[in-house]
Amino acid sequence: MKLVWLRRDLRVDDNTALNEALVCGGPVVCIYIATPETWQSHGLAPIQADLIFRRLCELSKELSALNIELLYDEVPRFSDSASRVAEVARELNACMVLVNREYEVHECQRDDRLASQLSIDGIDFQCCEDKCIFAPGTIINKQGSYFKVFTPFKNAYLAKLGMHSFDVKKAQTAVEAELPSAMRSLAFHQDVLFNYPRKDSTQWQADTGSIITELREFDANLIDRYAKERDFPSIQGTSKLSPYLAIGALSVRQCMARLMYGQTLPLSQGREVWQSELIWREFYQHLIYFETKLSKGRCFLDWGDELRWHTNTQWREAWENGQTGYPIVDAAMRQLNHTGWMHNRLRMIVASFLIKDLHIDWRVGERYFINNLIDGDYAANNGGWQWCASTGCDGQPYFRIFNPITQGERFDPSGAFVRQWIPELANVPDKYIHKPWAWPDVRNLSYPQPIVDHKVEREVTLRLYKEAKDA
């Protein structure tokens, strides 16, 4: 019998560890371990926890159709999970435990600990490369080191992709496993105790068929317009597949294979841009593997740790609650708080505002996003926030500071998105929708004045960053 430990790879098809277990024949059992205390300390969003639980319900059915039992258990902390998996493997009399590798530093240490514990019992351990199309260490520069700038990484990635044959494997049926009586109580069922706060995620799909349908519909109907429409939050211009990628209900291989299927080079501009976004995800996964400090709250650029941050609680709360007085910022934050998702262009705008208008540590925003996003992914979230803070690998220059007024005027010119999330601005004319304080009838609005002056705070940011770099 072989035991597959599922983490953020909650799918049957194109699951490398599961396929490796199945290809050898014999019975296969899967297990998922919840770690609520660690989830709490890491800030797992309740809406993502709900999606994980709903996905486990569907995954249990999908595995069962292949004669594979899904076991479920809970231990308080992340550090306890490896020991529990080793214990289950012993009780199952498993000959092998298989996992798909994760690249954060503590995850790597956890898997090393599991390998050591299994070796004592003579149980084989196989750690598969699955999260990226190309594993960290397989895309390197001429000096044999990892890339620190995205564009050369992308070029090397695409060259390798051109020689790559996609093999998105369907899972095979296994020999039915006979569970020991002591293990039957761990069989997953919908009423299992899931000891973590949950927020309704039913606006997102949980079964594989619906998720794959969303991927195919995006490819068929939206992807070729992606480059032109992805920056406008009032229209459906993005894939909205990120929640499924975050929990592993969908793989990057499945996305890339669909994107390239039947296409000739060069790709359409829309396909090329979406492909670039998928490669950014891969880039950040490679970075956290090579730079362990990124898993420890450190800046990629050392001078970033010299930045002096403000700790204005009122400003932070105004940002969190969508009450800054800047409509595009506030609408974006209200979208996040209500839905657990935020449009990608808006993520950059609100991050820039928190960091470079309010001078609040990027880690505060990083944590708030993880606490609330249904698509929270550590590497992508950290990479995005450090990019905006100009402290990350290939981040935007520190003197490039988004103006929240002009960003709103450019990407929500009619104010449709703002009015959707800020009903108190419904009657403001388009001319004033992104600066309502200038509207002659502003006294009739129950909407706050700007909490800061962007022009003033821009100069403060330039000084703070120069001081940090010169320190």
Side-chain angles (χ1 to χ4, degrees), residues 131-133 157 245 250-257 278 282:
K131 199 166 190 179
C132 298
I133 293 178
Y157 186 103
L245 285 164
L250 188 66
S251 75
V252 68
R253 282 180 302 277
Q254 290 171 298
C255 293
M256 194 70 78
L278 293 176
E282 303 269 282

Side-chain angles (χ1 to χ4, degrees), residues 340-367:
W341 185 83
M342 186 190 291
H343 187 278
N344 185 60
R345 166 57 59 173
L346 302 180
R347 297 186 197 208
M348 293 187 284
I349 294 172
V350 302
S352 179
F353 188 83
L354 181 77
I355 297 164
K356 294 178 178 177
D357 283 78
L358 305 185
H359 321 297
I360 291 174
D361 194 332
W362 61 266
R363 298 168 188 85
V364 173
E366 178 194 37
R367 178 73 179 198

